[in-house]
Amino acid sequence: PRFCTRLNLDVACRKRAEKLIDVLQQNVAFSSCSPISLAATVIYLAAEAGKPSVSYEAIKEASGASASVIRRLVKLARSKS
C-alpha cells in the first residue's frame, strides 16, 4: 500500500496488486526475489491494466527497486502466466 499511495494509484489497482502478489509468492521462480522488487513488479502489472499506466521509472522512484529488475521480473511473470 505504501508504494501505491506514493504513486497515487486507485483502490482497484491496489486490489489487483494484492491478488497478483499472492499468486507470484506461490511461484518458485519468485521465491528468491526481494520483497520490494516483487511489490514493484506487481504494482507495474496491476497499474498496466489501468489508465493511465505507471512507468518503470515512476515505480523505481516510489519503491527504490531497480527499473531493470522490475522489467526482468515483469517479463518473467508474463512468461509464467
Side-chain angles (χ1 to χ4, degrees):
R2 171 178 41 157
F3 303 146
C4 291
T5 301
R6 288 180 185 170
L7 293 164
N8 296 317
L9 298 175
D10 61 15
V11 174
C13 184
R14 290 178 194 198
K15 289 184 182 205
R16 284 191 302 272
E18 288 171 4
K19 288 179 184 177
L20 284 168
I21 196 90
D22 290 339
V23 171
L24 292 186
Q25 284 179 329
Q26 294 174 7
N27 189 318
V28 71
F30 296 94
S31 62
S32 64
C33 295
S34 118
I36 291 176
S37 296
L38 197 54
T41 300
V42 298
I43 289 169
Y44 179 83
L45 291 168
E48 190 175 50
K51 299 294 180 214
S53 63
V54 180
S55 71
Y56 290 115
E57 288 299 316
I59 295 172
K60 172 189 152 200
E61 292 298 318
S63 68
S66 163
S68 63
V69 170
I70 299 167
R71 269 192 290 281
R72 182 178 54 82
L73 292 177
V74 165
K75 195 174 196 179
L76 180 61
R78 287 180 179 150
S79 74
K80 298 293 180 184
S81 61

